Amino acid sequence: GAVVSQHPSRVICKSGTSVKIECRSLDFQATTMFWYRQFPKQSLMLMATSNEGSKATYEQGVEKDKFLINHASLTLSTLTVTSAHPEDSSFYICSAPSGTGDINEQFFGPGTRLTVL
Amino acid sequence: GQNIDQPTEMTATEGAIVQINCTYQTSGFNGLFWYQQHAGEAPTFLSYNVLDGLEEKGRFSSFLSRSKGYSYLLLKELQMKDSASYLCAVMDSNYQLIWGAGTKLIIKP
């Protein structure tokens, strides 16, 4: 199956700093990527849809100026958490639809555990 | 509103069979997915149903009834490594995935 990578897998930062998370599709092109956040014992919450070459679409309640998304190429999307605070500590996961066959299957990156002190 | 319901937690015995149910109410339907998620890891794809009926894939099977807004994931010959959360997700008319909160499955020896 298709492979999606994320980097870093784990990051600890001080409050007020910015953190960039990369999401790459390794063996396929992804014009669309999705960014999710998952708090402990909760389901995935879609934050935004990243579109190659255009602005991201943010879900209601997600601050676009705080969570900056850039989809500069067909294989890379980045999420930057600006001025991170402890409440931003979460598991961030990206995914990309494979776009092959009839199944709109999404392939997930391994996730990034963000801890803001 | 859109809603996906599945039990919070289930317990089963190694070697046994377990059925995890999922009911949904969504704006349109373009398929139902089951994912497995181990603690601290990203979800991995298990199955996809878009037509009514049973899809079998090894020890795992998934069933769908669109008229009832109902699906189940059936796991046979349970192994300890099957201890994980199982997420039900429905793709709505906008091709967005609506996620259930997941069912934590605990396997006991």
PDB file of all heavy atoms in Angstrom, chain B residues 80-101:
ATOM      1  N   MET B  80      -3.633 -11.885  21.116  1.00  0.00           N
ATOM      2  CA  MET B  80      -3.322 -10.796  22.055  1.00  0.00           C
ATOM      3  C   MET B  80      -3.000  -9.508  21.302  1.00  0.00           C
ATOM      4  O   MET B  80      -3.318  -8.416  21.761  1.00  0.00           O
ATOM      5  CB  MET B  80      -2.166 -11.199  22.973  1.00  0.00           C
ATOM      6  CG  MET B  80      -2.468 -12.396  23.865  1.00  0.00           C
ATOM      7  SD  MET B  80      -3.917 -12.155  24.915  1.00  0.00           S
ATOM      8  CE  MET B  80      -3.357 -10.855  25.999  1.00  0.00           C
ATOM      9  N   LYS B  81      -2.377  -9.646  20.133  1.00  0.00           N
ATOM     10  CA  LYS B  81      -1.997  -8.456  19.369  1.00  0.00           C
ATOM     11  C   LYS B  81      -3.206  -7.697  18.809  1.00  0.00           C
ATOM     12  O   LYS B  81      -3.066  -6.578  18.305  1.00  0.00           O
ATOM     13  CB  LYS B  81      -1.078  -8.841  18.215  1.00  0.00           C
ATOM     14  CG  LYS B  81      -1.746  -9.697  17.140  1.00  0.00           C
ATOM     15  CD  LYS B  81      -0.791 -10.007  16.002  1.00  0.00           C
ATOM     16  CE  LYS B  81      -1.476 -10.809  14.907  1.00  0.00           C
ATOM     17  NZ  LYS B  81      -0.556 -11.097  13.764  1.00  0.00           N
ATOM     18  N   ASP B  82      -4.387  -8.313  18.903  1.00  0.00           N
ATOM     19  CA  ASP B  82      -5.597  -7.634  18.443  1.00  0.00           C
ATOM     20  C   ASP B  82      -6.091  -6.602  19.459  1.00  0.00           C
ATOM     21  O   ASP B  82      -7.042  -5.852  19.182  1.00  0.00           O
ATOM     22  CB  ASP B  82      -6.718  -8.647  18.167  1.00  0.00           C
ATOM     23  CG  ASP B  82      -6.372  -9.616  17.046  1.00  0.00           C
ATOM     24  OD1 ASP B  82      -5.613  -9.219  16.130  1.00  0.00           O
ATOM     25  OD2 ASP B  82      -6.853 -10.772  17.089  1.00  0.00           O
ATOM     26  N   SER B  83      -5.472  -6.563  20.620  1.00  0.00           N
ATOM     27  CA  SER B  83      -5.827  -5.541  21.610  1.00  0.00           C
ATOM     28  C   SER B  83      -5.477  -4.179  21.038  1.00  0.00           C
ATOM     29  O   SER B  83      -4.313  -3.870  20.775  1.00  0.00           O
ATOM     30  CB  SER B  83      -5.046  -5.766  22.905  1.00  0.00           C
ATOM     31  OG  SER B  83      -5.460  -6.946  23.546  1.00  0.00           O
ATOM     32  N   ALA B  84      -6.503  -3.370  20.819  1.00  0.00           N
ATOM     33  CA  ALA B  84      -6.320  -2.074  20.160  1.00  0.00           C
ATOM     34  C   ALA B  84      -7.657  -1.355  20.185  1.00  0.00           C
ATOM     35  O   ALA B  84      -8.666  -1.897  20.657  1.00  0.00           O
ATOM     36  CB  ALA B  84      -5.850  -2.257  18.717  1.00  0.00           C
ATOM     37  N   SER B  85      -7.664  -0.146  19.665  1.00  0.00           N
ATOM     38  CA  SER B  85      -8.933   0.550  19.441  1.00  0.00           C
ATOM     39  C   SER B  85      -9.354   0.342  17.997  1.00  0.00           C
ATOM     40  O   SER B  85      -8.507   0.323  17.093  1.00  0.00           O
ATOM     41  CB  SER B  85      -8.798   2.041  19.730  1.00  0.00           C
ATOM     42  OG  SER B  85      -8.708   2.283  21.113  1.00  0.00           O
ATOM     43  N   TYR B  86     -10.649   0.176  17.802  1.00  0.00           N
ATOM     44  CA  TYR B  86     -11.180  -0.041  16.456  1.00  0.00           C
ATOM     45  C   TYR B  86     -12.117   1.112  16.125  1.00  0.00           C
ATOM     46  O   TYR B  86     -13.086   1.369  16.837  1.00  0.00           O
ATOM     47  CB  TYR B  86     -11.883  -1.398  16.376  1.00  0.00           C
ATOM     48  CG  TYR B  86     -10.880  -2.521  16.478  1.00  0.00           C
ATOM     49  CD1 TYR B  86     -10.451  -2.976  17.721  1.00  0.00           C
ATOM     50  CD2 TYR B  86     -10.299  -3.068  15.337  1.00  0.00           C
ATOM     51  CE1 TYR B  86      -9.488  -3.964  17.823  1.00  0.00           C
ATOM     52  CE2 TYR B  86      -9.338  -4.057  15.425  1.00  0.00           C
ATOM     53  CZ  TYR B  86      -8.937  -4.501  16.671  1.00  0.00           C
ATOM     54  OH  TYR B  86      -7.963  -5.474  16.770  1.00  0.00           O
ATOM     55  N   LEU B  87     -11.757   1.824  15.059  1.00  0.00           N
ATOM     56  CA  LEU B  87     -12.462   3.045  14.688  1.00  0.00           C
ATOM     57  C   LEU B  87     -13.364   2.798  13.484  1.00  0.00           C
ATOM     58  O   LEU B  87     -12.924   2.256  12.472  1.00  0.00           O
ATOM     59  CB  LEU B  87     -11.464   4.152  14.344  1.00  0.00           C
ATOM     60  CG  LEU B  87     -10.379   4.449  15.368  1.00  0.00           C
ATOM     61  CD1 LEU B  87      -9.421   5.505  14.834  1.00  0.00           C
ATOM     62  CD2 LEU B  87     -10.987   4.927  16.670  1.00  0.00           C
ATOM     63  N   CYS B  88     -14.605   3.211  13.625  1.00  0.00           N
ATOM     64  CA  CYS B  88     -15.568   3.165  12.532  1.00  0.00           C
ATOM     65  C   CYS B  88     -15.628   4.571  11.932  1.00  0.00           C
ATOM     66  O   CYS B  88     -15.685   5.561  12.670  1.00  0.00           O
ATOM     67  CB  CYS B  88     -16.931   2.749  13.089  1.00  0.00           C
ATOM     68  SG  CYS B  88     -18.308   2.823  11.940  1.00  0.00           S
ATOM     69  N   ALA B  89     -15.589   4.674  10.619  1.00  0.00           N
ATOM     70  CA  ALA B  89     -15.637   5.983   9.967  1.00  0.00           C
ATOM     71  C   ALA B  89     -16.507   5.903   8.729  1.00  0.00           C
ATOM     72  O   ALA B  89     -16.446   4.927   7.980  1.00  0.00           O
ATOM     73  CB  ALA B  89     -14.233   6.452   9.593  1.00  0.00           C
ATOM     74  N   VAL B  90     -17.309   6.921   8.513  1.00  0.00           N
ATOM     75  CA  VAL B  90     -18.196   6.974   7.350  1.00  0.00           C
ATOM     76  C   VAL B  90     -17.807   8.149   6.465  1.00  0.00           C
ATOM     77  O   VAL B  90     -17.563   9.249   6.973  1.00  0.00           O
ATOM     78  CB  VAL B  90     -19.674   7.126   7.787  1.00  0.00           C
ATOM     79  CG1 VAL B  90     -20.578   7.348   6.581  1.00  0.00           C
ATOM     80  CG2 VAL B  90     -20.111   5.895   8.558  1.00  0.00           C
ATOM     81  N   MET B  91     -17.749   7.910   5.180  1.00  0.00           N
ATOM     82  CA  MET B  91     -17.461   8.980   4.231  1.00  0.00           C
ATOM     83  C   MET B  91     -18.786   9.596   3.787  1.00  0.00           C
ATOM     84  O   MET B  91     -19.662   8.890   3.271  1.00  0.00           O
ATOM     85  CB  MET B  91     -16.684   8.441   3.036  1.00  0.00           C
ATOM     86  CG  MET B  91     -16.227   9.507   2.062  1.00  0.00           C
ATOM     87  SD  MET B  91     -15.048   8.881   0.858  1.00  0.00           S
ATOM     88  CE  MET B  91     -13.554   8.843   1.849  1.00  0.00           C
ATOM     89  N   ASP B  92     -18.923  10.902   4.036  1.00  0.00           N
ATOM     90  CA  ASP B  92     -20.217  11.526   3.760  1.00  0.00           C
ATOM     91  C   ASP B  92     -20.305  12.005   2.310  1.00  0.00           C
ATOM     92  O   ASP B  92     -19.450  11.686   1.485  1.00  0.00           O
ATOM     93  CB  ASP B  92     -20.486  12.659   4.755  1.00  0.00           C
ATOM     94  CG  ASP B  92     -19.557  13.853   4.579  1.00  0.00           C
ATOM     95  OD1 ASP B  92     -18.805  13.909   3.577  1.00  0.00           O
ATOM     96  OD2 ASP B  92     -19.588  14.752   5.438  1.00  0.00           O
ATOM     97  N   SER B  93     -21.346  12.752   2.012  1.00  0.00           N
ATOM     98  CA  SER B  93     -21.586  13.170   0.628  1.00  0.00           C
ATOM     99  C   SER B  93     -20.496  14.109   0.112  1.00  0.00           C
ATOM    100  O   SER B  93     -20.325  14.260  -1.105  1.00  0.00           O
ATOM    101  CB  SER B  93     -22.953  13.850   0.511  1.00  0.00           C
ATOM    102  OG  SER B  93     -23.043  14.940   1.412  1.00  0.00           O
ATOM    103  N   ASN B  94     -19.770  14.750   1.023  1.00  0.00           N
ATOM    104  CA  ASN B  94     -18.655  15.619   0.640  1.00  0.00           C
ATOM    105  C   ASN B  94     -17.328  14.876   0.614  1.00  0.00           C
ATOM    106  O   ASN B  94     -16.269  15.504   0.542  1.00  0.00           O
ATOM    107  CB  ASN B  94     -18.558  16.810   1.595  1.00  0.00           C
ATOM    108  CG  ASN B  94     -19.763  17.731   1.485  1.00  0.00           C
ATOM    109  OD1 ASN B  94     -20.239  18.001   0.392  1.00  0.00           O
ATOM    110  ND2 ASN B  94     -20.254  18.193   2.617  1.00  0.00           N
ATOM    111  N   TYR B  95     -17.402  13.565   0.725  1.00  0.00           N
ATOM    112  CA  TYR B  95     -16.205  12.716   0.735  1.00  0.00           C
ATOM    113  C   TYR B  95     -15.296  13.013   1.914  1.00  0.00           C
ATOM    114  O   TYR B  95     -14.089  12.831   1.843  1.00  0.00           O
ATOM    115  CB  TYR B  95     -15.452  12.808  -0.598  1.00  0.00           C
ATOM    116  CG  TYR B  95     -16.238  12.203  -1.738  1.00  0.00           C
ATOM    117  CD1 TYR B  95     -17.074  12.990  -2.523  1.00  0.00           C
ATOM    118  CD2 TYR B  95     -16.175  10.841  -1.998  1.00  0.00           C
ATOM    119  CE1 TYR B  95     -17.828  12.420  -3.541  1.00  0.00           C
ATOM    120  CE2 TYR B  95     -16.924  10.264  -3.014  1.00  0.00           C
ATOM    121  CZ  TYR B  95     -17.746  11.062  -3.774  1.00  0.00           C
ATOM    122  OH  TYR B  95     -18.490  10.500  -4.777  1.00  0.00           O
ATOM    123  N   GLN B  96     -15.886  13.491   2.996  1.00  0.00           N
ATOM    124  CA  GLN B  96     -15.135  13.666   4.233  1.00  0.00           C
ATOM    125  C   GLN B  96     -15.433  12.505   5.163  1.00  0.00           C
ATOM    126  O   GLN B  96     -16.550  12.000   5.210  1.00  0.00           O
ATOM    127  CB  GLN B  96     -15.527  14.979   4.911  1.00  0.00           C
ATOM    128  CG  GLN B  96     -14.921  16.199   4.271  1.00  0.00           C
ATOM    129  CD  GLN B  96     -14.804  17.362   5.238  1.00  0.00           C
ATOM    130  OE1 GLN B  96     -15.291  17.289   6.356  1.00  0.00           O
ATOM    131  NE2 GLN B  96     -14.164  18.420   4.818  1.00  0.00           N
ATOM    132  N   LEU B  97     -14.394  12.091   5.897  1.00  0.00           N
ATOM    133  CA  LEU B  97     -14.576  10.996   6.838  1.00  0.00           C
ATOM    134  C   LEU B  97     -15.109  11.519   8.159  1.00  0.00           C
ATOM    135  O   LEU B  97     -14.554  12.447   8.741  1.00  0.00           O
ATOM    136  CB  LEU B  97     -13.254  10.264   7.069  1.00  0.00           C
ATOM    137  CG  LEU B  97     -12.846   9.229   6.026  1.00  0.00           C
ATOM    138  CD1 LEU B  97     -11.496   8.628   6.379  1.00  0.00           C
ATOM    139  CD2 LEU B  97     -13.880   8.126   5.911  1.00  0.00           C
ATOM    140  N   ILE B  98     -16.195  10.910   8.610  1.00  0.00           N
ATOM    141  CA  ILE B  98     -16.748  11.206   9.918  1.00  0.00           C
ATOM    142  C   ILE B  98     -16.361  10.046  10.833  1.00  0.00           C
ATOM    143  O   ILE B  98     -16.671   8.891  10.534  1.00  0.00           O
ATOM    144  CB  ILE B  98     -18.284  11.351   9.874  1.00  0.00           C
ATOM    145  CG1 ILE B  98     -18.703  12.296   8.743  1.00  0.00           C
ATOM    146  CG2 ILE B  98     -18.808  11.826  11.222  1.00  0.00           C
ATOM    147  CD1 ILE B  98     -18.158  13.709   8.849  1.00  0.00           C
ATOM    148  N   TRP B  99     -15.696  10.340  11.934  1.00  0.00           N
ATOM    149  CA  TRP B  99     -15.107   9.297  12.761  1.00  0.00           C
ATOM    150  C   TRP B  99     -15.926   9.010  14.004  1.00  0.00           C
ATOM    151  O   TRP B  99     -16.438   9.937  14.651  1.00  0.00           O
ATOM    152  CB  TRP B  99     -13.697   9.701  13.202  1.00  0.00           C
ATOM    153  CG  TRP B  99     -12.727   9.769  12.080  1.00  0.00           C
ATOM    154  CD1 TRP B  99     -12.489  10.824  11.273  1.00  0.00           C
ATOM    155  CD2 TRP B  99     -11.860   8.716  11.632  1.00  0.00           C
ATOM    156  NE1 TRP B  99     -11.519  10.494  10.345  1.00  0.00           N
ATOM    157  CE2 TRP B  99     -11.117   9.215  10.540  1.00  0.00           C
ATOM    158  CE3 TRP B  99     -11.644   7.399  12.057  1.00  0.00           C
ATOM    159  CZ2 TRP B  99     -10.173   8.455   9.863  1.00  0.00           C
ATOM    160  CZ3 TRP B  99     -10.701   6.627  11.382  1.00  0.00           C
ATOM    161  CH2 TRP B  99      -9.985   7.152  10.294  1.00  0.00           C
ATOM    162  N   GLY B 100     -16.029   7.735  14.357  1.00  0.00           N
ATOM    163  CA  GLY B 100     -16.530   7.347  15.658  1.00  0.00           C
ATOM    164  C   GLY B 100     -15.432   7.538  16.694  1.00  0.00           C
ATOM    165  O   GLY B 100     -14.260   7.755  16.346  1.00  0.00           O
ATOM    166  N   ALA B 101     -15.802   7.444  17.949  1.00  0.00           N
ATOM    167  CA  ALA B 101     -14.832   7.651  19.032  1.00  0.00           C
ATOM    168  C   ALA B 101     -13.930   6.446  19.252  1.00  0.00           C
ATOM    169  O   ALA B 101     -12.960   6.529  19.984  1.00  0.00           O
ATOM    170  CB  ALA B 101     -15.559   7.996  20.321  1.00  0.00           C
TER     171      ALA B 101
END
